[in-house]
Amino acid sequence: MEEKSVITEVRNGAMWITLNRPAAMNAISPDMVAGVDRALDEALARDDARVVVLTGAGRAFCAGADLKFVRGETSSGPSGSAQFLGALLALLNRLERFPRPVIAAVNGLALAGGLELVLCCDLVLAAQSARFGDAHANYGLLPGGGGSVRLPRKIGAARAKYLMFTGEFVPAAAMETAGLVNRVVEDGQLAGAVDELVAKIAAKSPLGVSRMKTLVNDGLEQPVEVALRQELVMVALHEHSEDIAEGLAAFQEKRAPRFTGR
């Protein structure tokens, strides 16, 4: 029986989504796209999954889209490639706008579509041995998952063009310096470091964190004066939440808050 291309586990406040095609360096297939999408649905339905963690099985995080599907070698014929890329782009957009924080735990190579997955995550922790690259140029391809748009916004146009034009794989430390990676840890410490980060986030108001994510994402695409107005509207809305009342009560009573996300 063929292994599942996506494995999920809920632990310590997070839904861990593991890309599970290690023999193919976790190259993205249609089944994997559908599996991650289902996992996100499951995360939304659970109160004990306040954070989503995306990682890979084996020595790669994700080596990009499986090229046999990009070339259209699917059972659905010539239109299969367009359908696959459309579904992948929809998933990437959903990850970026997902109402809960998404952490990329980059355990190995993150290339092409794998890098585009990382770009759609809110926070990135990487093992010291991890490598990042655009890689599309190595095969005469163009980024089709938003890489040419998101990468320069994350690391600047000059660095993004270098990665895109050369197809080089660069170490995690370089991506930390560039601003894409939040923290680089020893290879054997990645899961523990992610658990620590999840614990910090899961202890906060789920509603507050979700609304912060929306404000940051929307604000990046707006003129400053528009973004500031939107922030005030969100603050006024948030004042009616149960979480803000609980947070203020906990401060007054000198205890840890018990946030419910309402």
Side-chain angles (χ1 to χ4, degrees), residues 41-202:
D41 288 339
E42 183 184 350
L44 278 180
R46 302 186 61 138
D47 291 335
D48 58 348
R50 294 189 171 185
V51 179
V52 169
V53 179
L54 188 64
T55 193
R59 64 191 182 95
F61 173 78
C62 175
D66 192 321
L67 294 184
K68 68 173 175 285
F69 295 105
V70 174
R71 292 177 61 195
E73 296 176 5
T74 68
S75 59
S76 53
S79 65
S81 175
Q83 292 174 358
F84 169 54
L85 291 176
L88 175 56
L89 184 57
L91 176 63
L92 292 169
N93 291 338
R94 185 184 186 192
L95 270 174
E96 185 173 50
R97 294 290 173 176
F98 197 66
R100 298 184 185 181
V102 180
I103 299 172
V106 184
N107 53 300
L109 291 172
L111 309 175
L115 177 60
E116 289 172 326
L117 275 174
V118 172
L119 290 168
C120 292
C121 297
D122 300 300
L123 302 172
V124 182
L125 271 64
Q128 191 172 39
S129 63
R131 295 292 184 272
F132 296 78
D134 178 70
H136 288 98
N138 297 339
Y139 304 99
L141 300 172
L142 296 178
S148 65
V149 178
R150 294 186 177 104
L151 187 60
R153 282 169 164 76
K154 288 285 181 98
I155 68 173
R159 288 190 180 101
K161 288 175 182 176
Y162 183 87
L163 287 181
M164 293 170 66
F165 297 170
T166 66
E168 285 187 11
F169 305 167
V170 300
M175 287 294 95
E176 184 179 27
T177 300
L180 176 62
V181 173
N182 294 95
R183 183 183 171 197
V184 177
V185 300
E186 296 290 335
D187 288 2
Q189 298 176 5
L190 181 60
V194 172
D195 282 338
E196 289 178 9
L197 180 56
V198 167
K200 291 178 182 179
I201 297 171

